[in-house]
Amino acid sequence: MTPAAKLSRFFLPTLREAPSDADNVSAKLMFRSGMIRKVASGIYEWLPLGLRVLRKIERIIREEMDSIGGQEVSLPVVQPRALWDETSRWGVYGKELLRFKDRKDGEFCFAPTAEEVVTDLVRREIRSWRQLPLMLYQIGLKFRDEIRPRFGVMRSREFLMKDAYSFHAGEDDVTRYYGEVVGAYKKIFGRCGLNFRPVEAQSGAIGGSFSHEFMVLAETGEETIVSCADPQCGYAANIERAEASRPGDARTGPSSANDPNLKTPADIPTPGLHAVEEVAKLLGEQPRRFLKTQLYILHGKPVMALLRGDHQLNEAKLAAHLAAPEIRRANEDEYVKFLGCPVGFAGPQGHPDVPIHADYAALGVLNGITGANKNGFHARNINMWRDFNAAGQADLRMTTAGDPCPRCGRNLEWHKGIEVGHTFKLGIKYSQAMGATYLDKNQNPQPAVMGCYGIGVGRTVAAAIEQNHDAAGIRWPASIAPFHAVLIVLDLAADPRVREAAASLRSALLAAGVELLEDDREDSPGVKFKDADLIGIPLRIVLSKKSLDRGGAEIKLRSALQPEIVPLSECLPRSLALLGFSGKEAVAATTE
Ligand code: ATP
Ligand code: MG
């Protein structure tokens, strides 16, 4: 049985004020509650209180990974360049990859992830389909030289990640297993006491998505999530990837160059008015009647994206549609060079050499208003087929308020979230490049089909705080709290009953598996209560002359407004009930 931790001896340097560079609530509270300290930009020390939370989350992760057949390994943080060359990622990965040389001039990097290393391990050891599936995971440090480390451990450079990799004989098996991992992730974040959503991180247009991000919902999150208001439907996606336009949206547009509804084009002077909204106001028209162009450059050549006037381009979708992550926005000079007009006056018509990629909704615009390709003019009645042609059609836009759910057509809700985990069906990208093959039932070599699954452990700690805090400090969910309860014993010298009551309550709680922090410092009760609130221990138990006079101990949940007096004989069951301990958990904790 672990004894109660004595706060007088516990390394808990709390602060009244957070350091000035702590730039969000969780970072401030983690500094103030003595969970972390900073060594350098994006590099942190975890102090005992913080580490206890980290370890709790790790434990939950391990249990759930083990329960779906995962096997824990420890892979090196220093990885040789040669492996990264095999997948060409040494060249592709940008400056986030921290590269260095050893004394023999050998090139290495600090692990930002471990696909290469684990695929190399598996190709050396796995021979036959009989050895698959195989799921290996680790909980280890990663380093990414983030351009802008921020929000404390939420976006740091060195961080603890659970990374898992699975290898399968065939596509069907990875598909089946992917579902199990998503299930395990739901259990992990649920057991951590977090309000979260798994969201599709890839367009699921071809039926089912095989990349999900796990988002902890918090106002302060960097990510925007759209989800169906109907829980029965369950659709949820990162706004960046949410399906917006569909082929059917083009139906309301011109049907051909001979469509009888097409009107004659006409120029309109719009001096100095670039934005759709400005021109729409001048003309008294709705932005949805406009065709909006955006010029991009791919390998030195122009490519035009075409959108409906009230829509925003989603660059990631354009890049995916063109299979060209390297596209970039054209500059002013390039507009003039390729389209003959400044930004804000370009239209799709009259550029036969510039391939146009249209969003489906843009193709639904009949007699559209757009730039006239000359400074100070727009044009009316521009139509596909007659005035321009599209080299490609796709969903290229961001979801906007008012769009229906792409699955069921009902309303969408918007939330802010923090990405704490990511699951991904990788396919054979790595196994093929690195020759990680197995012999199938017919003795033919096949590349193993892979999945990879990450969780930011430190980021999960910070996300839990973003979601669970108040003005006084952190409010830990009991399952990941550094301690379950804080025991504050007052008036020891003044009343002999206190010591006796404290001794029996302490041992009863410990025997039941309650992790106890005892504030035995010389400070005033006020200081002790403040610190208990700041570090967010779920249950506060006070034993004093006053409490005994009133009939027992004073017990208060961190989230409750007032304490309750509980008779000594009732303290243990009441505490366990308040902590939400089932008998099973208490036993698990005591047999640790
Ligand atoms: P982000 O888009 O936030 O940079 P990512 O897509 O690069 O994340 P992955 O490569 O999928 O992240 O890594 C798996 C998990 O590791 C993420 O879901 C996140 O929880 C965590 N993580 C990634 N980068 C950081 C970081 N700089 N600091 C802390 N945790 C991180
Ligand atoms: Mg990243």
Side-chain angles (χ1 to χ4, degrees):
M1 192 165 77
T2 320
K6 302 281 185 196
L7 197 41
S8 62
R9 304 295 312 147
F10 200 84
F11 182 40
L12 185 75
T14 55
L15 299 170
R16 202 161 298 176
E17 298 284 338
S20 58
D21 58 352
D23 51 1
N24 72 348
V25 173
S26 54
K28 286 191 175 96
L29 287 172
M30 289 178 81
F31 279 109
R32 287 190 52 214
S33 62
M35 292 176 67
I36 56 164
R37 286 294 184 263
K38 180 163 146 182
V39 179
S41 169
I43 302 180
Y44 294 88
E45 292 145 330
W46 287 80
L47 278 45
L49 192 81
L51 194 63
R52 288 182 71 96
V53 180
L54 206 63
R55 293 282 183 258
K56 292 247 168 121
I57 296 175
E58 281 181 37
R59 180 173 161 178
I60 292 173
I61 293 173
R62 282 197 174 89
E63 286 174 7
E64 296 302 336
M65 288 294 106
D66 291 349
S67 80
I68 55 166
Q71 300 179 63
E72 189 171 0
V73 291
S74 174
L75 303 172
V77 289
V78 173
Q79 306 181 341
R81 169 176 178 164
L83 291 179
W84 285 75
D85 275 336
E86 287 189 50
T87 58
S88 307
R89 282 215 292 180
W90 187 266
V92 172
Y93 224 105
K95 289 195 166 179
E96 275 188 21
L97 187 66
L98 180 65
R99 302 153 210 252
F100 49 88
K101 288 186 179 172
D102 69 3
R103 65 169 74 199
K104 293 179 185 152
D105 254 4
E107 291 188 88
F108 292 86
C109 64
F110 198 105
T113 173
E115 283 83 6
E116 280 81 359
V117 164
V118 77
T119 306
D120 172 54
L121 171 65
V122 165
R123 77 174 158 188
R124 284 183 278 128
E125 309 304 333
I126 294 293
R127 292 281 160 268
S128 152
W129 63 274
R130 288 174 211 279
Q131 295 165 285
L132 298 175
L134 176 68
M135 188 305 216
L136 300 175
Y137 76 94
Q138 64 168 346
I139 299 181
L141 284 176
K142 299 286 174 293
F143 193 96
R144 294 181 183 177
D145 202 353
E146 297 274 354
I147 185 164
R148 207 156 68 81
R150 58 188 180 280
F151 307 146
V153 298
M154 204 127 117
R155 186 169 297 284
S156 50
R157 296 197 295 164
E158 188 188 85
F159 58 96
L160 194 64
M161 194 204 282
K162 185 284 295 179
D163 44 329
Y165 309 87
S166 69
F167 296 82
H168 305 264
E171 190 75 22
D172 288 353
D173 197 54
V174 75
T175 302
R176 168 196 66 78
Y177 192 70
Y178 183 87
E180 284 196 34
V181 178
V182 168
Y185 269 47
K186 288 183 186 166
K187 287 193 189 151
I188 289 169
F189 297 115
R191 285 181 62 188
C192 288
L194 299 172
N195 183 10
F196 70 97
R197 285 275 159 82
V199 306
E200 292 180 10
Q202 238 180 9
S203 165
I206 321 158
S209 167
F210 292 103
S211 174
H212 288 83
E213 288 166 344
F214 287 74
M215 301 283 194
V216 167
L217 302 186
E219 285 303 313
T220 48
E222 284 189 286
E223 314 280 340
T224 303
I225 306 157
V226 294
S227 57
C228 184
D230 181 359
Q232 290 289 315
C233 167
Y235 177 78
N238 189 321
I239 176 116
E240 305 242 318
R241 282 95 172 203
E243 294 158 48
S245 300
R246 280 168 291 175
D249 298 346
R251 267 176 319 184
T252 50
S255 55
S256 71
N258 305 320
D259 187 328
N261 297 312
L262 306 194
K263 297 185 183 163
T264 313
D267 285 358
I268 343 158
T270 53
L273 302 182
H274 308 252
V276 167
E277 291 70 27
E278 296 170 330
V279 180
K281 210 166 149 201
L282 175 82
L283 302 180
E285 297 278 6
Q286 296 292 328
R288 58 181 297 128
R289 299 226 36 243
F290 283 64
L291 288 167
K292 185 158 92 177
T293 60
Q294 241 160 277
L295 195 64
Y296 278 77
I297 303 294
L298 177 58
H299 307 311
K301 297 214 171 88
V303 184
M304 185 185 280
L306 188 69
L307 295 154
R308 206 171 78 182
D310 55 336
H311 289 153
Q312 299 300 322
L313 179 70
N314 181 327
E315 256 185 39
K317 286 183 180 175
L318 179 66
H321 166 68
L322 297 172
E326 62 276 35
I327 51 160
R328 64 167 175 84
R329 203 67 206 264
N331 59 34
E332 282 277 350
D333 292 346
E334 287 160 338
Y335 264 82
V336 175
K337 178 173 163 195
F338 294 117
L339 303 179
C341 67
V343 182
F345 297 101
Q349 69 282 15
H351 308 293
D353 299 332
V354 179
I356 297 171
H357 293 270
D359 179 68
Y360 297 126
L363 298 179
V365 177
L366 186 70
N367 296 314
I369 306 163
T370 187
N373 297 310
K374 50 188 176 188
N375 196 358
F377 287 89
H378 279 73
R380 278 187 195 278
N381 304 330
I382 299 302
N383 287 293
M384 163 99 157
W385 309 116
R386 184 188 66 188
D387 305 314
F388 67 91
N389 274 301
Q393 311 180 5
D395 170 16
L396 297 177
R397 70 179 177 95
M398 303 289 279
T399 299
T400 60
D403 277 334
C405 170
R407 291 282 183 281
C408 74
R410 294 196 189 86
N411 289 342
L412 288 175
E413 286 177 350
W414 302 65
H415 295 281
K416 286 285 182 188
I418 300 162
E419 181 202 318
V420 287
H422 196 174
T423 53
F424 205 79
K425 194 164 118 181
L426 279 175
I428 56 169
K429 179 175 169 194
Y430 293 90
S431 49
Q432 194 163 48
M434 297 183 72
T437 55
Y438 66 93
L439 292 177
D440 67 14
K441 287 181 183 164
N442 304 316
Q443 298 298 304
N444 293 322
Q446 304 285 356
V449 189
M450 293 173 61
C452 71
Y453 323 95
I455 292 180
V457 191
R459 188 182 284 184
T460 303
V461 175
I465 297 175
E466 290 292 329
Q467 198 175 72
N468 300 282
H469 68 269
D470 60 19
I474 305 168
R475 288 163 65 159
W476 291 113
S479 60
I480 60 170
F483 291 94
H484 299 131
V486 58
L487 177 63
I488 300 176
V489 184
L490 306 170
D491 315 318
L492 265 175
D495 187 339
R497 292 177 304 164
V498 172
R499 183 180 302 278
E500 207 178 299
S504 69
L505 183 55
R506 187 187 296 118
S507 52
L509 289 165
L510 292 172
V514 175
E515 295 167 1
L516 209 54
L517 177 66
E518 187 160 346
D519 193 347
D520 60 339
R521 296 174 303 174
E522 302 272 309
D523 292 304
S524 70
V527 166
K528 294 182 180 187
F529 293 169
K530 260 211 164 97
D531 277 351
D533 279 353
L534 173 64
I535 66 177
I537 308 300
L539 201 64
R540 191 185 81 190
I541 306 172
V542 181
L543 260 176
S544 64
K545 180 174 179 326
K546 195 173 99 194
S547 77
L548 289 175
D549 287 345
R550 292 177 62 194
E554 204 185 88
I555 297 190
K556 180 183 162 310
L557 265 184
R558 172 66 179 78
S559 52
L561 292 175
Q562 294 297 330
E564 50 182 304
I565 294 286
V566 179
L568 292 178
S569 60
E570 291 295 309
C571 278
L572 178 64
R574 183 73 188 134
S575 299
L576 297 183
L578 285 170
L579 285 169
F581 266 38
S582 68
K584 205 172 114 223
E585 274 165 302
V587 171
T590 47
T591 52
E592 194 174 11

